């Protein structure tokens, strides 16, 4: 069957490899590479007969990878960490290229493959890092945002490298080839910006109005691959054109749907690409060059980590961030395979040189979760050896803190809670690791500490040993657990209230013995239920009965039936069952100027005045001799009919000279 049989074998092998990788908690791309090794020309059975055809199809996978990258790109993602992403990343790339060039010369390579080696190891793996961060529960932390910003900037650097490196690799052409390649790229970009931004969105609109999912998918695929082929005819990289096409479409109204539709196609052809990379790995060559691979792997780990960590520190990041960035981004990324294939095709890299980089990249990806997991213990060891750094604190009272509330996390929940406690005059201090949120909290005038709440020195600065209550508002479970452990060690008597995202986390915190947990999703869901029932004409008492029952059922496993929290819920629900309404006394109303006793509303309407709001001041349970004035807001307890009777009296006017009648 030729290519059809080979394609079927690769897809089935990719599925098996992906399942194995997922079972081992490794990125799927490693499973795809392993599948390529097993069915490739260097395997015992050599299942795939024509690897060249698979390699040709894999080129589509490269183009679709970069097309999707262009669709996903947004400058807004780089805004919070723009300094290290836009300034630090080019510096990191340049220093790592120099490191790789030196390693290449150490291995006895000429300057051209040495330069390519530096460019290949300069790139980190977006797929591996995202998977690792999610598995470790560190998404959303400051270090994760710094890493993602660097990764986005690195991915963008792939495109100019694909243009510049082949030109620089040709010593005969020299500077002239480099200038010509750059000029072509600039000209093509200009044409795409001028023409593409006007033509492509109109084309997508014409396709979208036909409301055909198949035509829409064909259209975006044709745009990505068609523009890529046009750049190839123009003398530039096929993948570069696909990236530019995605970049142009990313600004249109159809970007999100285009990305949603292209992702399955990208993943299938991407699997073919990584499997084709695996086919290039010769296990026997790997054993023969094991010493070189180990040397290169250790050099990349040490050298690249020092570069990344040093740059993060130099650009103002402190505490655990430089270490997390260093141990997270040290590996060689998947785009090194893309760039390496370009070097192999152009003759800049030999098959042995490419295999060395390939083997090193695969091993670095496999080791990344373990190396990244060392961040917390290494940082704790370093802090214990180096002593405590001064913790930045703002607005802490000079008299110290005692019986106060410690709030961990300066997001919306934490800052709202801090501001409300401040209004009530209750002592509290906020701990936040994100410097932007720290700045916001500082501007709001609250007591705030910049630091990692999982560290003892930061909790000591917040006087957690003398705190009455600790509120953990961060949504990251690993951070929550670390904070709980530290607080319990320092102050076992402190009450801890934590935030849980979903029922699974709620039960997990219950298993850890935590008595108080708040689940924002549950509270939002209960409010949705309340509003739905009200709009479906359920009575107020029935709505409150149902919502109270739901809350008790959800929180019962945590708090039990006899807890103070359950009593508070029941009292709150009982209070809400009293049907209050506000009635405004209109100017000229017959009620104005008469006392509550004189009006005799209870005997006439059945309703009771339980409060009066006047000039912003609330009078609860007013005396019967209190006069009702125009523009007063009356809090009325009663049935809907009784309230309507009071509203009629409050709005009734009288003619001059008439005596009020009730």
């Amino acid at each position: 069957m030729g290519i059809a049989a080979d394609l079927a074998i690769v897809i089935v092998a990719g599925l098996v490899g992906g399942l194995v990788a997922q079972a081992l908690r490794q990125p799927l791309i490693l499973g795809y590479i392993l599948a390529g090794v097993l069915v490739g020309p260097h395997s015992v059975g050599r299942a795939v007969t024509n690897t060249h055809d698979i390699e040709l199809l894999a080129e589509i996978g490269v183009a679709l990878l970069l097309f999707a990258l262009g669709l996903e790109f947004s400058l807004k993602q780089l805004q919070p960490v723009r300094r290290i992403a836009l300034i630090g990343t080019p510096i990191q790339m340049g220093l790592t290229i120099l490191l790789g060039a030196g390693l290449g010369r150490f291995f006895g390579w000429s300057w051209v493959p040495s330069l390519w080696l530096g460019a290949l190891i300069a790139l980190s793996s977006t797929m591996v890092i995202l998977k690792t961060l999610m598995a470790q529960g560190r998404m959303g932390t400051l270090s994760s945002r710094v890493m993602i910003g660097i990764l986005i900037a690195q991915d963008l650097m792939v495109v100019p490298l694909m243009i510049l490196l082949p030109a620089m690799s040709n010593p005969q052409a020299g500077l002239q080839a480099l200038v010509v390649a750059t000029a072509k790229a600039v000209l093509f970009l200009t044409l795409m910006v001028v023409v593409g931004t006007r033509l492509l969105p109109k084309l997508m609109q014409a396709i979208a109005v036909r409301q055909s999912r198949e035509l829409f998918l064909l259209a975006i695929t044709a745009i990505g691959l068609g523009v890529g082929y046009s750049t190839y005819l123009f003398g530039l990289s096929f993948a570069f054109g696909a990236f530019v096409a995605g970049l142009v479409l990313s600004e249109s109204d159809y970007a999100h749907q285009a990305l949603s539709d292209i992702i399955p196609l990208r993943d299938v052809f991407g699997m073919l690409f990584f499997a084709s990379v695996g086919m290039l790995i010769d296990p026997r060559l790997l054993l023969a060059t094991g010493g070189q691979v180990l040397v290169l792997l250790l050099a990349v780990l040490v050298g690249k980590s020092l570069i990344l960590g040093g740059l993060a520190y130099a650009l103002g990041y402190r505490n655990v961030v430089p270490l997390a960035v260093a141990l997270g981004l040290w590996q060689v990324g998947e785009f090194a395979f893309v760039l390496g294939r370009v070097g192999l095709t152009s003759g800049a890299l030999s098959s042995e040189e490419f295999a060395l980089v390939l083997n090193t990249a695969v091993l670095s990806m496999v080791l990344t979760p373990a190396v990244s997991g060392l961040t917390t213990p290494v940082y704790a060891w370093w802090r214990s050896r180096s002593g405590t750094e001064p913790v930045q604190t703002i607005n802490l009272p000079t008299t110290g803190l005692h019986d106060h509330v410690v709030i961990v996390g300066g997001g919306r929940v934490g800052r709202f809670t801090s501001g409300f406690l401040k209004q009530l005059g209750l002592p509290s201090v906020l701990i936040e690791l994100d410097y932007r949120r720290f700045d916001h909290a500082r501007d709001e005038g609250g007591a705030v500490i910049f630091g990692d709440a999982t560290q003892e020195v930061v909790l000591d600065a917040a006087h957690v040993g003398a705190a009455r209550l600790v509120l953990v508002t961060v949504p990251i479970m690993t951070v929550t657990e670390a904070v709980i452990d530290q607080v319990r060690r320092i102050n076992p008597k402190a009450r801890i209230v934590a935030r849980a995202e979903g029922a699974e986390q709620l039960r997990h915190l219950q298993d850890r013995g935590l008595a108080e947990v708040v689940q924002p999703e549950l509270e939002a869901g209960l409010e949705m239920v309340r509003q739905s029932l009200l709009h479906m004409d359920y009575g107020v008492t029935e709505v409150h009965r149902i919502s109270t029952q739901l809350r008790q059922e959800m929180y019962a496993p945590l708090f039990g039936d006899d807890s103070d929290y359950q009593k508070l819920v029941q009292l709150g629900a009982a209070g809400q069952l009293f049907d209050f309404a506000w009635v405004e006394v209109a100017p000229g109303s017959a009620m104005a100027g008469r006392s509550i006793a004189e009006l005799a509303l209870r005997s006439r309407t059945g309703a009771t005045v339980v409060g009066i709001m006047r000039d912003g001041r609330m009078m609860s349970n007013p005396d019967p001799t209190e006069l009702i004035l125009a523009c007063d807001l009356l809090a009325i307890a009663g049935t809907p009919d009784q309230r309507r009777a009071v509203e009629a009296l409050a709005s009734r006017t009288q003619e001059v000279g008439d005596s009020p009648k009730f």
Side-chain angles (χ1 to χ4, degrees), residues 195-242:
V195 179
T197 53
R198 291 171 173 80
L199 181 61
L200 293 183
K202 291 182 179 179
L203 175 62
M204 294 305 302
Q205 183 180 11
I207 298 295
V209 296
R210 286 167 170 76
Q211 298 184 347
S212 171
R213 193 71 177 266
E214 293 180 35
L215 286 178
F216 190 85
L217 175 60
L218 285 174
I220 58 176
T221 307
I223 289 173
L225 299 182
V227 174
Y229 184 65
S230 67
T231 57
Y232 173 76
L233 297 177
F234 197 69
L236 295 172
S237 165
F238 179 48
F240 171 66

Side-chain angles (χ1 to χ4, degrees), residues 25 97 226 283 290 435 516:
R25 302 196 175 193
I97 287 174
Y435 210 89
E516 290 89 5

Side-chain angles (χ1 to χ4, degrees), residues 9-31:
I9 291 171
V10 172
I11 290 175
V12 172
L15 173 62
V16 175
L19 291 173
V20 171
Q22 189 177 53
L24 297 176
R25 302 196 175 193
Q26 295 293 327
L28 293 179
I29 57 175
L30 296 182

Side-chain angles (χ1 to χ4, degrees), residues 257-299:
Q257 186 60 44
L259 180 62
S260 174
D261 286 354
I262 204 67
I263 280 177
L265 194 62
R266 177 203 68 180
D267 290 344
V268 171
F269 279 95
M271 183 275 296
L272 289 177
F273 167 74
F274 290 114
S276 71
V277 169
M279 292 178 188
L280 298 174
I281 297 178
D282 186 348
R284 287 165 295 188
L285 181 62
L286 175 59
L287 293 175
T289 60
Q292 279 187 311
V293 171
L294 183 60
V295 169
L296 182 57
L297 184 67
L298 290 175

Side-chain angles (χ1 to χ4, degrees), residues 77-411:
Q77 292 177 291
L78 296 180
Q79 193 68 16
V81 291
R82 59 188 179 278
R83 193 176 176 205
I84 193 168
L86 301 179
I87 299 176
T89 303
I91 297 174
Q92 174 263 317
M93 295 281 289
L95 293 176
T96 312
I97 287 174
L98 291 177
L99 170 67
L103 289 171
R105 298 299 292 171
F106 173 77
F107 291 135
W109 298 4
S110 64
W111 75 271
V112 172
S114 298
L115 184 66
W116 277 83
L117 173 62
L120 295 178
I121 67 172
L123 300 166
S124 302
S125 174
T126 302
M127 295 183 184
V128 172
I129 285 300
L130 291 179
K131 178 73 174 178
T132 301
L133 289 174
M134 286 186 287
Q136 295 175 349
R138 290 164 53 196
M139 288 297 291
T141 61
L142 178 60
S143 57
S144 72
R145 284 193 289 271
V146 171
M147 284 189 270
I148 291 171
I150 293 174
L151 288 168
I152 293 172
Q154 283 184 356
D155 290 347
L156 292 177
M157 294 290 288
V158 172
V159 178
L161 286 175
M162 294 180 74
I163 298 172
L164 298 177
L165 281 175
M168 294 175 65
S169 302
N170 187 354
Q172 288 76 25
L175 182 62
Q176 181 180 357
L178 182 61
V179 172
V180 169
T182 304
K184 284 183 177 181
V186 171
L187 178 60
F188 179 75
L189 282 171
T190 304
L191 288 173
M192 285 297 296
V193 170
V194 175
V195 179
T197 53
R198 291 171 173 80
L199 181 61
L200 293 183
K202 291 182 179 179
L203 175 62
M204 294 305 302
Q205 183 180 11
I207 298 295
V209 296
R210 286 167 170 76
Q211 298 184 347
S212 171
R213 193 71 177 266
E214 293 180 35
L215 286 178
F216 190 85
L217 175 60
L218 285 174
I220 58 176
T221 307
I223 289 173
L225 299 182
V227 174
Y229 184 65
S230 67
T231 57
Y232 173 76
L233 297 177
F234 197 69
L236 295 172
S237 165
F238 179 48
F240 171 66
F243 172 78
V244 174
L247 204 61
V248 171
L249 280 180
S250 69
E251 299 301 322
S252 72
D253 296 332
Y254 309 99
H256 295 295
Q257 186 60 44
L259 180 62
S260 174
D261 286 354
I262 204 67
I263 280 177
L265 194 62
R266 177 203 68 180
D267 290 344
V268 171
F269 279 95
M271 183 275 296
L272 289 177
F273 167 74
F274 290 114
S276 71
V277 169
M279 292 178 188
L280 298 174
I281 297 178
D282 186 348
R284 287 165 295 188
L285 181 62
L286 175 59
L287 293 175
T289 60
Q292 279 187 311
V293 171
L294 183 60
V295 169
L296 182 57
L297 184 67
L298 290 175
V300 170
L301 171 59
V302 176
K304 195 172 176 182
S305 295
L306 289 174
I307 291 171
L308 286 161
L311 277 172
Y313 188 86
L315 290 173
Y317 293 97
R318 294 293 185 269
N319 296 310
V320 75
V321 176
L323 182 64
V325 172
L327 297 183
L329 297 181
W330 69 276
Q331 76 289 132
V332 182
E334 59 273 357
F335 275 116
F337 303 147
V338 178
L339 193 59
R341 286 294 297 270
V342 175
L344 187 65
T345 304
S346 65
L349 290 173
S350 67
S351 57
E352 292 79 10
E353 292 165 345
F354 180 60
L356 177 63
V357 179
L358 193 67
N359 295 331
T360 304
V362 172
L363 288 176
S364 70
M365 289 181 181
V366 172
L367 293 174
T368 292
V371 173
S372 179
L374 295 174
T375 301
T376 300
V378 170
Y379 182 65
W381 172 82
W382 173 258
R383 292 297 294 268
S384 65
R385 292 292 301 272
S386 62
T388 59
E389 300 176 3
V391 178
Q392 187 173 356
T393 62
I394 299 292
N395 298 328
L396 260 64
T398 55
T399 56
L401 290 166
H402 187 73
D403 281 344
H404 59 290
V405 180
V406 177
I407 305 169
V408 178

